[in-house]
């Protein structure tokens, strides 16, 4: 009895301070795992107090991790910054290491066995998990770059998805974008690359590709390309009837304003926002290529003004259906 009486006043004295600290504390960051085969997928749940919505941030192509960084020279932390900006507006987020990447590396199949639909299935599973953890009926999908196409594919007939936020996403099939990017290749390499794309679009693998194009057309990646190239973002968009926000920077060196406009044309109800002087990683950047690319390795550079605010405002305005 004596020990209890001695401790009680101390507890009472600390309670107001602890309460004040909890009120001033920022959002809570929690490492979470999603059961999967052959191993769990991993991500970070960032939860502000009294969250009114939750969103899953889907990474772009390549070895891009949950923060938006990649060993291929990208250290801009775009997804972490976006999550923090949304938390300030009362929106929780789950940002993920996609299958085969970073903490989710063990869940990745052999490259030859990977298909685009696997990413879409994972996005649906993450949406269900995020909604359950937030105690909400559905979650938003925020897709960046190739993640925008993943979001569109995942949203087919899924009632756990509140709506879509498509950032720096292509508005045309990937083959058209790749041909545009390869247009400056010297001959005969350009002709060989275009011929390979045509075969892959038809669902046929290519046996002989120039060594210089191995990074794009190596045999082990061709099955994935065959699963990805036929997808038409605009057609997927036209078939989706939920709320959609399209965000695009005008100094994006990888995806152009025309792509965002093509997406918006597929559904007149969509909201299109063009951010002037904003690049592919949603940072303020000039059109000059060298200066623009320099932002890719600068995590201290914040997101461009308005990006997180516009995304958050759209989510708040459209609520949780």
């Amino acid at each position: 009895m004596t020990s209890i009486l001695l401790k009680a006043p101390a507890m009472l004295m600390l309670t107001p301070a602890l309460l004040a600290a909890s009120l001033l504390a920022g959002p809570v960051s929690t490492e979470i795992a999603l059961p999967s085969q052959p191993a769990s997928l991993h991500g970070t749940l960032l939860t502000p107090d009294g969250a009114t919505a939750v969103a899953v941030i889907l990474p772009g192509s390549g070895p891009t991790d949950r923060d938006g960084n990649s060993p291929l020279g990208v250290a801009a932390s775009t997804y972490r910054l976006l999550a923090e900006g949304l938390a300030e507006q009362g929106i929780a987020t789950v940002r993920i290491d996609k299958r085969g990447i970073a903490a989710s590396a063990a869940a990745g199949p052999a490259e030859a066995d990977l298909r685009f639909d696997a990413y879409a299935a994972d996005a649906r599973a993450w949406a269900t998990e995020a909604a359950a953890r937030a105690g909400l009926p559905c979650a938003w999908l925020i897709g960046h770059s190739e993640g925008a196409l993943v979001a569109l594919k995942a949203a087919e007939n899924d009632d756990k998805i509140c709506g879509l936020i498509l950032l720096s996403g292509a508005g045309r099939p990937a083959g058209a974008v790749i041909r545009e990017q390869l247009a400056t290749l010297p001959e005969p390499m350009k002709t060989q690359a275009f011929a390979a794309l045509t075969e892959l679009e038809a669902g046929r693998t290519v046996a002989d590709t120039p060594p210089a194009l191995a990074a794009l057309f190596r045999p082990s990646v061709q099955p994935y390309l065959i699963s990805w190239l036929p997808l038409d973002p605009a057609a997927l968009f036209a078939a989706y009837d939920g709320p959609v926000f399209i965000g695009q920077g005008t100094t994006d060196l990888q995806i152009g304003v025309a792509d965002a406009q093509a997406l918006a044309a597929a559904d007149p109800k969509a909201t299109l926002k063009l951010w002037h002087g904003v690049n592919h990683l949603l940072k303020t950047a000039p059109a000059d290529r060298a200066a623009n690319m320099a932002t890719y390795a600068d995590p201290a550079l914040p997101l461009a003004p308005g990006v997180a605010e516009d995304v958050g405002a759209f989510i708040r305005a459209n609520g949780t259906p």
Side-chain angles (χ1 to χ4, degrees), residues 80-148:
R80 176 181 60 77
L81 293 171
L82 179 58
E84 291 169 353
L86 292 176
E88 292 176 359
Q89 302 172 72
I91 299 167
T93 55
V94 174
R95 58 188 195 274
I96 65 170
D97 290 332
K98 63 184 178 181
R99 185 174 296 273
I101 302 302
S104 300
E111 186 173 66
D113 296 328
L114 181 62
R115 303 293 185 273
F116 190 88
D117 280 349
Y119 290 141
D122 289 344
R124 286 190 286 269
W126 275 116
T128 299
E129 180 74 7
R133 285 180 177 267
L136 296 167
C138 59
W140 289 77
L141 292 183
I142 301 176
H144 174 253
S145 192
E146 188 184 61

Side-chain angles (χ1 to χ4, degrees), residues 4 13 46 82 87 93 121 124 126 150 155 164 168 211 247-248 263 271:
I4 294 175
M13 289 174 62
L46 189 65
L82 179 58
T93 55
R124 286 190 286 269
W126 275 116
V150 174
L164 305 177
S168 308
Q248 177 64 44
L263 276 177
T271 294

Side-chain angles (χ1 to χ4, degrees), residues 289-302:
R289 184 174 185 83
N292 193 305
M293 295 298 292
T295 69
Y296 282 48
D298 186 359
L301 185 67

Side-chain angles (χ1 to χ4, degrees), residues 82 85-86 88-89 303-316:
L82 179 58
L86 292 176
E88 292 176 359
Q89 302 172 72
L303 291 186
V307 169
E309 293 80 3
D310 289 343
V311 170
F314 184 83
I315 291 174
R316 294 197 314 275

Side-chain angles (χ1 to χ4, degrees), residues 57-80:
I57 301 176
L58 303 175
S61 61
T64 305
D65 67 17
R66 71 185 76 181
D67 288 340
N69 300 327
S70 162
L72 302 180
V74 180
S77 296
T78 293
Y79 307 153
R80 176 181 60 77

Side-chain angles (χ1 to χ4, degrees), residues 157-248:
N157 304 315
D158 194 307
D159 61 3
K160 288 297 183 182
I161 296 172
C162 307
L164 305 177
I165 307 293
L166 309 177
L167 306 176
S168 308
R172 300 163 289 164
V177 178
I178 293 173
R179 285 183 175 87
E180 190 173 273
Q181 293 173 343
L182 299 181
T184 59
L185 284 177
E187 293 292 359
M189 195 182 300
K190 182 172 80 170
T191 297
Q192 293 169 326
F194 284 19
L197 274 172
T198 298
E199 288 296 293
L200 293 166
E201 287 168 333
R204 297 185 291 267
T205 58
V206 181
D208 299 316
T209 56
L213 296 174
L216 181 59
F217 297 123
R218 60 190 179 277
S220 60
V221 82
Q222 290 185 26
Y224 176 80
L225 294 176
I226 288 171
S227 74
W228 172 50
L229 288 168
L231 298 175
D232 184 345
L236 290 170
F237 190 6
Y240 179 70
D241 62 2
V244 181
F245 175 92
I246 304 164
Q248 177 64 44

